Amino acid sequence: MAAGAFDLVCTHDLEGRILSINPAACDALGLPATSIRGMTIPELLPPDSVFGVMAYLKRLRSDGFAVGMMRIAGRGGSGRVWECRGSVGVDGIVRGVGRDVTDREEVFRRARRSEEHFRSIIENVSDIIAIIELDGSFRYGSPSVSRVLGYPRQALFGKHSTELIHPDDAERAAAFLSRQIADPAANESIELRVRHQDGALRSFEIVATNLVKHGRVSGVVVNARDVTERNLLEARLSQANRLGGLGRLAATVAHEFNNVLMGMQPFAELMQRPDATPQIISKGAWHIANSIQRGKRIVLDILRFAQPHLPVTTAIDLGEWWETFAPEAEAILGNIISLVSEIPGSGLCVMADRGQLSQVLTNLVANARDAMPSGGSLTVNAKALQPDARFPFGAVPNPERFVEISICDTGHGMPADIIDRVFEPLFTTRPSGGTGLGLAVAHQVITQHRGYIFVDSKPGRGSNFHIFLPKGTLPPASCSDLVEPARAVTAKKVLIIDDEESIVEGIAALLGHEGMAVDAVGSGAEAVKAIARFHPNLVLLDFGLPDMDGSEVYTLIREQNPLLPIIFSTGHGDPRKLLDGINDPWVRFLQKPFEIASLLEKMAELEADPAP
């Protein structure tokens, strides 16, 4: 029905007997005015509305004015809700008006049901829902606060949110909240450790959205989910995967090192025979040295993947770097694969760790060699990028900030299922095996450089690896380091502290050929006495001794001689971790196995300028 400002107009006495009524009300009730006059209001209403009418009449008699809600069974039995107002005149007659508010009340009823629905969800959900003020204090916390963290809800009101956060995460939490508040459209997430009332730490995954009024943030709504158990399960799964990977790695390393050892075994036997000619000895020594280099590469791949070194980046001129790396690449490729360079001669710089860049390219060149067993060509190029550069193999944000290095071979290529796993640790397609770490290390190193690496390949069409490294800035003169001439070593007496007899004998023999006197001890306990007896110019100190580690021996030596040059050597570990806390200009580090030339270089370095 169409409703006017007031649909119902009537007069009645204080007992509710109707004296007059307008046509609109008669139409709503479906009765003529002659039938309605003389009836009481309760007689016109459904039974469930009578109580409300009696309260309405009582209020009229006491206050002279009343407002009430009544449900009227209209024509066809359809119920309508009316809002009625009545006032008592000086003659004792009530003048009443009513408005049909059925539609309005239905909206209110649905809103109440919706509110009850969402309130039920919020009160029973396992996640914590909270509203945080702009100053970081809690405005609201859902009932799950008590269930999940043990705190009464009331205890949170006014408390600063960072009071619940682990101290080590408090700074990140404050920065997270600041970023969220700064941008009205922000929708940030973070994982933080929160302290339970019993003192235990729980991990929470937190998602934040803003309450915005008139374009400004008025508060932050956070949804916090307890992911402690999930993280524990993931950690256990990761441990299980590591153990499984350790088994695969052990088998892979055993296979690779057996091949390395087999590459040395027959030549070692030939060289020990009484009739061994100088040619056989020379050829055997060459093969043994080759096998040692292969074993060294395997170890470096494993160490770099298991204990990645943070890159020490400098501006590197790719043209200058390539001149020194190209001979190594040619040696890896052999005679049946041609190497083509399209790298500018100078002027194109990247920010990179020189040693790690060479390691990545070594792994990629070796990978390309294995993909071309019958020969082919390998093309290496480098170029700066434009801001609008796009690539079919992947996305590079802000490409103008990067230099692209491409390594393209003409080998057998790779299908899509291999491409998806090519950077996966321990994954290899070599029929003869391999560690499966070369490309995984390459990916790890480039990622640590804040760069990107992609592969683009199709079966039968070769493979293209694309590296994106941050662009470097040329210093005024050049981004190349000045090449210094080799320096002669003046040290005459070297003390070797190492418990491996074969290592000691080999190094002693080589240093003897350089005109040096060598003494050796096999434990840390003997070191101090040997220094007092031998008075060495330099100490070569192994980290892994049977009675104490190298850092302890170092402390003993420094108590005896603060300026004695020391070169640490070890077959494992990150030198920066092993030398943690040692800030000494008279100390250097060598990774085993090392060539005698590397040892002499470190000795000359200490003699010329001890400052690292």
Side-chain angles (χ1 to χ4, degrees), residues 321-333 339:
W321 168 81
W322 178 254
E323 285 184 9
T324 60
F325 180 77
E328 183 178 344
E330 290 173 342
I332 294 171
L333 292 173
L339 178 63

PDB file of all heavy atoms in Angstrom, residues 321-333 339:
ATOM      1  N   TRP A 321      86.764  -7.905 -16.705  1.00  0.00           N
ATOM      2  CA  TRP A 321      86.583  -9.192 -16.020  1.00  0.00           C
ATOM      3  C   TRP A 321      86.598 -10.343 -17.021  1.00  0.00           C
ATOM      4  O   TRP A 321      87.201 -11.386 -16.773  1.00  0.00           O
ATOM      5  CB  TRP A 321      85.259  -9.169 -15.256  1.00  0.00           C
ATOM      6  CG  TRP A 321      84.845 -10.522 -14.765  1.00  0.00           C
ATOM      7  CD1 TRP A 321      85.275 -11.165 -13.651  1.00  0.00           C
ATOM      8  CD2 TRP A 321      83.925 -11.409 -15.409  1.00  0.00           C
ATOM      9  NE1 TRP A 321      84.688 -12.409 -13.550  1.00  0.00           N
ATOM     10  CE2 TRP A 321      83.852 -12.579 -14.618  1.00  0.00           C
ATOM     11  CE3 TRP A 321      83.169 -11.328 -16.570  1.00  0.00           C
ATOM     12  CZ2 TRP A 321      83.038 -13.649 -14.968  1.00  0.00           C
ATOM     13  CZ3 TRP A 321      82.357 -12.399 -16.918  1.00  0.00           C
ATOM     14  CH2 TRP A 321      82.300 -13.547 -16.108  1.00  0.00           C
ATOM     15  N   TRP A 322      85.964 -10.146 -18.190  1.00  0.00           N
ATOM     16  CA  TRP A 322      85.881 -11.227 -19.167  1.00  0.00           C
ATOM     17  C   TRP A 322      87.262 -11.585 -19.720  1.00  0.00           C
ATOM     18  O   TRP A 322      87.538 -12.756 -20.004  1.00  0.00           O
ATOM     19  CB  TRP A 322      84.936 -10.834 -20.304  1.00  0.00           C
ATOM     20  CG  TRP A 322      84.843 -11.897 -21.363  1.00  0.00           C
ATOM     21  CD1 TRP A 322      85.389 -11.879 -22.612  1.00  0.00           C
ATOM     22  CD2 TRP A 322      84.184 -13.163 -21.243  1.00  0.00           C
ATOM     23  NE1 TRP A 322      85.117 -13.041 -23.281  1.00  0.00           N
ATOM     24  CE2 TRP A 322      84.378 -13.849 -22.453  1.00  0.00           C
ATOM     25  CE3 TRP A 322      83.462 -13.778 -20.235  1.00  0.00           C
ATOM     26  CZ2 TRP A 322      83.859 -15.116 -22.690  1.00  0.00           C
ATOM     27  CZ3 TRP A 322      82.942 -15.052 -20.466  1.00  0.00           C
ATOM     28  CH2 TRP A 322      83.135 -15.706 -21.674  1.00  0.00           C
ATOM     29  N   GLU A 323      88.135 -10.601 -19.849  1.00  0.00           N
ATOM     30  CA  GLU A 323      89.483 -10.888 -20.350  1.00  0.00           C
ATOM     31  C   GLU A 323      90.211 -11.885 -19.464  1.00  0.00           C
ATOM     32  O   GLU A 323      90.962 -12.731 -19.949  1.00  0.00           O
ATOM     33  CB  GLU A 323      90.299  -9.589 -20.440  1.00  0.00           C
ATOM     34  CG  GLU A 323      89.908  -8.697 -21.608  1.00  0.00           C
ATOM     35  CD  GLU A 323      90.811  -7.489 -21.707  1.00  0.00           C
ATOM     36  OE1 GLU A 323      91.833  -7.462 -20.979  1.00  0.00           O
ATOM     37  OE2 GLU A 323      90.503  -6.575 -22.490  1.00  0.00           O
ATOM     38  N   THR A 324      89.979 -11.792 -18.156  1.00  0.00           N
ATOM     39  CA  THR A 324      90.642 -12.724 -17.240  1.00  0.00           C
ATOM     40  C   THR A 324      89.890 -14.038 -17.131  1.00  0.00           C
ATOM     41  O   THR A 324      90.493 -15.084 -16.863  1.00  0.00           O
ATOM     42  CB  THR A 324      90.768 -12.090 -15.837  1.00  0.00           C
ATOM     43  OG1 THR A 324      89.452 -11.785 -15.337  1.00  0.00           O
ATOM     44  CG2 THR A 324      91.579 -10.807 -15.902  1.00  0.00           C
ATOM     45  N   PHE A 325      88.553 -14.019 -17.349  1.00  0.00           N
ATOM     46  CA  PHE A 325      87.766 -15.241 -17.188  1.00  0.00           C
ATOM     47  C   PHE A 325      87.731 -16.077 -18.464  1.00  0.00           C
ATOM     48  O   PHE A 325      87.613 -17.308 -18.396  1.00  0.00           O
ATOM     49  CB  PHE A 325      86.336 -14.899 -16.773  1.00  0.00           C
ATOM     50  CG  PHE A 325      85.453 -16.099 -16.582  1.00  0.00           C
ATOM     51  CD1 PHE A 325      85.552 -16.877 -15.431  1.00  0.00           C
ATOM     52  CD2 PHE A 325      84.546 -16.480 -17.564  1.00  0.00           C
ATOM     53  CE1 PHE A 325      84.767 -17.998 -15.255  1.00  0.00           C
ATOM     54  CE2 PHE A 325      83.745 -17.603 -17.398  1.00  0.00           C
ATOM     55  CZ  PHE A 325      83.858 -18.363 -16.239  1.00  0.00           C
ATOM     56  N   ALA A 326      87.833 -15.447 -19.635  1.00  0.00           N
ATOM     57  CA  ALA A 326      87.688 -16.171 -20.906  1.00  0.00           C
ATOM     58  C   ALA A 326      88.628 -17.370 -21.028  1.00  0.00           C
ATOM     59  O   ALA A 326      88.202 -18.452 -21.471  1.00  0.00           O
ATOM     60  CB  ALA A 326      87.879 -15.212 -22.071  1.00  0.00           C
ATOM     61  N   PRO A 327      89.923 -17.269 -20.664  1.00  0.00           N
ATOM     62  CA  PRO A 327      90.782 -18.459 -20.768  1.00  0.00           C
ATOM     63  C   PRO A 327      90.286 -19.632 -19.926  1.00  0.00           C
ATOM     64  O   PRO A 327      90.381 -20.797 -20.349  1.00  0.00           O
ATOM     65  CB  PRO A 327      92.141 -17.948 -20.269  1.00  0.00           C
ATOM     66  CG  PRO A 327      92.098 -16.474 -20.512  1.00  0.00           C
ATOM     67  CD  PRO A 327      90.687 -16.069 -20.263  1.00  0.00           C
ATOM     68  N   GLU A 328      89.742 -19.331 -18.744  1.00  0.00           N
ATOM     69  CA  GLU A 328      89.200 -20.401 -17.904  1.00  0.00           C
ATOM     70  C   GLU A 328      87.985 -21.037 -18.580  1.00  0.00           C
ATOM     71  O   GLU A 328      87.832 -22.264 -18.566  1.00  0.00           O
ATOM     72  CB  GLU A 328      88.810 -19.841 -16.534  1.00  0.00           C
ATOM     73  CG  GLU A 328      88.295 -20.898 -15.569  1.00  0.00           C
ATOM     74  CD  GLU A 328      87.963 -20.334 -14.201  1.00  0.00           C
ATOM     75  OE1 GLU A 328      88.398 -19.206 -13.891  1.00  0.00           O
ATOM     76  OE2 GLU A 328      87.265 -21.031 -13.436  1.00  0.00           O
ATOM     77  N   ALA A 329      87.131 -20.207 -19.194  1.00  0.00           N
ATOM     78  CA  ALA A 329      85.957 -20.732 -19.886  1.00  0.00           C
ATOM     79  C   ALA A 329      86.370 -21.618 -21.062  1.00  0.00           C
ATOM     80  O   ALA A 329      85.782 -22.680 -21.296  1.00  0.00           O
ATOM     81  CB  ALA A 329      85.079 -19.581 -20.366  1.00  0.00           C
ATOM     82  N   GLU A 330      87.387 -21.193 -21.792  1.00  0.00           N
ATOM     83  CA  GLU A 330      87.862 -21.985 -22.936  1.00  0.00           C
ATOM     84  C   GLU A 330      88.424 -23.329 -22.474  1.00  0.00           C
ATOM     85  O   GLU A 330      88.224 -24.358 -23.133  1.00  0.00           O
ATOM     86  CB  GLU A 330      88.919 -21.197 -23.704  1.00  0.00           C
ATOM     87  CG  GLU A 330      88.334 -20.001 -24.456  1.00  0.00           C
ATOM     88  CD  GLU A 330      89.403 -19.123 -25.072  1.00  0.00           C
ATOM     89  OE1 GLU A 330      90.591 -19.248 -24.637  1.00  0.00           O
ATOM     90  OE2 GLU A 330      89.079 -18.310 -25.953  1.00  0.00           O
ATOM     91  N   ALA A 331      89.118 -23.324 -21.339  1.00  0.00           N
ATOM     92  CA  ALA A 331      89.670 -24.574 -20.814  1.00  0.00           C
ATOM     93  C   ALA A 331      88.550 -25.538 -20.417  1.00  0.00           C
ATOM     94  O   ALA A 331      88.662 -26.758 -20.626  1.00  0.00           O
ATOM     95  CB  ALA A 331      90.566 -24.286 -19.614  1.00  0.00           C
ATOM     96  N   ILE A 332      87.457 -24.997 -19.867  1.00  0.00           N
ATOM     97  CA  ILE A 332      86.327 -25.850 -19.473  1.00  0.00           C
ATOM     98  C   ILE A 332      85.645 -26.431 -20.703  1.00  0.00           C
ATOM     99  O   ILE A 332      85.281 -27.616 -20.728  1.00  0.00           O
ATOM    100  CB  ILE A 332      85.320 -25.040 -18.630  1.00  0.00           C
ATOM    101  CG1 ILE A 332      85.933 -24.630 -17.295  1.00  0.00           C
ATOM    102  CG2 ILE A 332      84.043 -25.852 -18.380  1.00  0.00           C
ATOM    103  CD1 ILE A 332      85.085 -23.649 -16.501  1.00  0.00           C
ATOM    104  N   LEU A 333      85.485 -25.629 -21.750  1.00  0.00           N
ATOM    105  CA  LEU A 333      84.751 -26.067 -22.949  1.00  0.00           C
ATOM    106  C   LEU A 333      85.527 -27.083 -23.782  1.00  0.00           C
ATOM    107  O   LEU A 333      84.920 -27.926 -24.447  1.00  0.00           O
ATOM    108  CB  LEU A 333      84.400 -24.844 -23.809  1.00  0.00           C
ATOM    109  CG  LEU A 333      83.381 -23.866 -23.204  1.00  0.00           C
ATOM    110  CD1 LEU A 333      83.258 -22.624 -24.067  1.00  0.00           C
ATOM    111  CD2 LEU A 333      82.019 -24.534 -23.036  1.00  0.00           C
ATOM    112  N   LEU A 339      83.913 -20.571 -28.411  1.00  0.00           N
ATOM    113  CA  LEU A 339      83.428 -19.558 -27.476  1.00  0.00           C
ATOM    114  C   LEU A 339      83.369 -18.215 -28.188  1.00  0.00           C
ATOM    115  O   LEU A 339      84.370 -17.753 -28.750  1.00  0.00           O
ATOM    116  CB  LEU A 339      84.354 -19.475 -26.258  1.00  0.00           C
ATOM    117  CG  LEU A 339      84.002 -18.427 -25.201  1.00  0.00           C
ATOM    118  CD1 LEU A 339      82.651 -18.724 -24.560  1.00  0.00           C
ATOM    119  CD2 LEU A 339      85.084 -18.372 -24.123  1.00  0.00           C
TER     120      LEU A 339
END
